[in-house]
Amino acid sequence: MESRGVWNEEEVAVYPPIKYKEWTLFPWPHWKEDTDKYLKLLKNFQSREDDILLCTVQKGGSHWVHEIVCMLVDQTTTYNNRGSSLDDVHLDTMTDFDSLEKETKRRIIHTHLPFQCIPSQHMEKKGKTIFVNRNPKDRHVSQYVFFKKMFGTPPDYSWDQYFQEMVINDTFMSGWFNYTREMVSAVEKYSNVIHVLFEDLKLNQTAEIKRIADFLEVPYTNKLINEIADKCEFDKLKTNKLDGTAEYAKDNKSTLFRKGIIGDWKNWFTVAQNEQFDEMYKREMKDVSMSFIYEDPSGK
């Protein structure tokens, strides 16, 4: 979210979620005031034909893909070359879009909301859309740790509580299953939408960056792709990515990047929880043509 200079804890609290129809959402002040008004504002956003929209699940690799796309579009390997972070182009926390309307470069914008909520003009103008996802077990663990660090979340908020509230009662930000089903359907239906998976980027970074470049129709050389892959290696990006999240965390430490590994979920899910989730996954995703990697093949 954009820096507000002076703010109180309630303004930046991420918990408890607010109820909106069948969903629960982040308790951002403008959403609490009038969610329908905001969603209409977003739907009517004035898109440009060359806009790039990053549609990502929370803790799924949003900032990672954002930096890669910025480097590809601007043909540079300089970190944060636009002088702004993903939070500055994050539609969900904006109450107006003045800053985006003033942007002279090709715009790279972002949302965590489901496909049904994205700007109408973006699809009408066939704007490039990158759907970013991650295996749901690791994503949930990362999101739980994020919640624990942020204002509003009770100090004693346990993993077991989170599992029941956010994993089993899957309604947050429309619910991971609903979000994924909508996005997979969009990828299958529209040529201007592709998916990028955290695990594919982790295991085959150079090939994935090249695939993104081809999709965005930006020029590149193998040298540029290799240099971007090197600069955007997870640990390097963790050190260099522009990050304002510490300002809003209880301990004043970044909430952007954590471990960046595949398989940490095994340190959190109990056997019973894993079995319960697997049954839920089979039921919710039985007709969805997408699969995820849950363990690093290298054993790391």
Side-chain angles (χ1 to χ4, degrees), residues 136-137 139-140 162-172 174-181 269 271-288 294:
K137 296 179 185 179
R139 191 203 72 85
H140 270 302
Y162 173 90
F163 184 83
Q164 290 300 319
E165 187 175 283
M166 298 285 187
V167 181
I168 300 305
N169 184 29
D170 183 44
T171 60
F172 187 61
S174 88
W176 183 87
F177 287 112
N178 174 71
Y179 183 96
T180 301
R181 286 192 298 263
F269 279 67
V271 172
Q273 287 173 342
N274 190 46
E275 291 175 349
Q276 188 176 8
F277 181 81
D278 285 349
E279 285 301 314
M280 186 177 182
Y281 187 97
K282 289 177 185 177
R283 181 174 67 252
E284 297 286 345
M285 299 285 280
K286 62 181 180 180
D287 298 318
V288 180
Y294 292 91

Side-chain angles (χ1 to χ4, degrees), residues 101-275:
E101 290 169 3
K102 294 174 183 176
E103 178 59 69
T104 57
K105 292 184 176 182
R106 186 178 184 183
R107 298 189 302 189
I108 302 165
I109 52 184
H110 174 251
T111 182
H112 284 316
L113 288 165
F115 185 76
Q116 63 184 276
C117 295
I118 71 172
S120 298
Q121 285 189 16
H122 185 77
M123 294 305 295
E124 291 167 4
K125 295 181 177 181
K126 302 187 186 305
K128 299 292 187 181
T129 306
I130 300 176
F131 154 49
V132 182
N133 210 336
R134 184 182 186 181
N135 90 60
K137 296 179 185 179
D138 278 328
R139 191 203 72 85
H140 270 302
V141 167
S142 189
Q143 183 168 267
Y144 168 68
V145 174
F146 165 79
F147 271 111
K148 285 286 288 181
K149 289 183 175 183
M150 300 299 285
F151 288 111
T153 309
D156 60 351
Y157 189 55
S158 69
W159 164 251
D160 287 344
Q161 285 177 277
Y162 173 90
F163 184 83
Q164 290 300 319
E165 187 175 283
M166 298 285 187
V167 181
I168 300 305
N169 184 29
D170 183 44
T171 60
F172 187 61
M173 298 299 284
S174 88
W176 183 87
F177 287 112
N178 174 71
Y179 183 96
T180 301
R181 286 192 298 263
E182 283 192 17
M183 283 299 178
V184 170
S185 176
V187 169
E188 293 171 345
K189 186 175 181 180
Y190 302 106
S191 62
N192 63 311
V193 185
I194 65 163
H195 73 266
V196 173
L197 299 184
F198 180 99
E199 293 77 23
D200 290 342
L201 197 56
K202 178 75 177 177
L203 299 173
N204 305 290
Q205 186 161 333
T206 300
E208 285 299 289
I209 293 174
K210 188 175 291 188
R211 187 170 70 89
I212 294 170
D214 287 333
F215 171 71
L216 296 177
E217 300 179 275
V218 297
Y220 64 85
T221 62
N222 287 336
K223 181 176 182 291
L224 177 65
I225 296 295
N226 290 333
E227 287 179 355
I228 292 176
D230 178 65
K231 286 290 188 76
C232 291
E233 190 273 328
F234 191 87
D235 289 334
K236 290 182 180 178
L237 197 58
K238 184 175 182 177
T239 302
N240 292 284
K241 179 69 172 170
L242 190 63
D243 177 8
T245 63
E247 180 182 356
Y248 304 102
K250 296 175 186 175
D251 59 3
N252 295 122
K253 294 181 180 180
S254 172
T255 63
L256 271 197
F257 300 96
R258 199 170 68 92
K259 294 183 177 181
I261 62 175
I262 304 169
D264 189 43
W265 63 270
K266 290 181 287 186
N267 296 316
W268 295 81
F269 279 67
T270 65
V271 172
Q273 287 173 342
N274 190 46
E275 291 175 349

Side-chain angles (χ1 to χ4, degrees), residues 4-121:
R4 297 176 173 83
V6 178
W7 47 265
N8 59 52
E9 292 182 9
E10 185 177 354
E11 286 183 291
V12 297
V14 303
Y15 190 93
I18 60 170
K19 178 76 174 175
Y20 175 70
K21 297 182 179 179
E22 299 302 314
W23 303 347
T24 52
L25 302 170
F26 279 114
W28 307 141
H30 58 294
W31 284 4
K32 290 167 73 173
E33 180 182 337
D34 193 336
T35 309
D36 284 314
K37 178 182 177 181
Y38 167 74
L39 292 178
K40 183 178 180 180
L41 182 72
L42 175 60
K43 202 70 179 171
N44 293 329
F45 175 74
Q46 299 297 300
S47 300
R48 299 174 187 169
E49 288 185 1
D50 66 348
D51 280 347
I52 299 168
L53 179 61
L54 304 182
C55 297
T56 73
V57 294
Q58 309 83 248
K59 312 311 292 181
S62 310
H63 295 263
W64 194 6
V65 175
H66 175 254
E67 191 65 21
I68 289 170
V69 170
C70 285
M71 288 184 176
L72 286 171
V73 170
D74 295 339
Q75 299 285 284
T76 182
T77 56
T78 301
Y79 292 114
N80 313 301
N81 70 87
R82 295 194 169 204
S84 59
S85 71
L86 183 65
D87 294 333
D88 297 313
V89 295
H90 183 48
L91 297 174
D92 304 1
T93 56
M94 293 181 171
T95 53
D96 63 62
F97 306 120
D98 291 349
S99 61
L100 293 177
E101 290 169 3
K102 294 174 183 176
E103 178 59 69
T104 57
K105 292 184 176 182
R106 186 178 184 183
R107 298 189 302 189
I108 302 165
I109 52 184
H110 174 251
T111 182
H112 284 316
L113 288 165
F115 185 76
Q116 63 184 276
C117 295
I118 71 172
S120 298
Q121 285 189 16

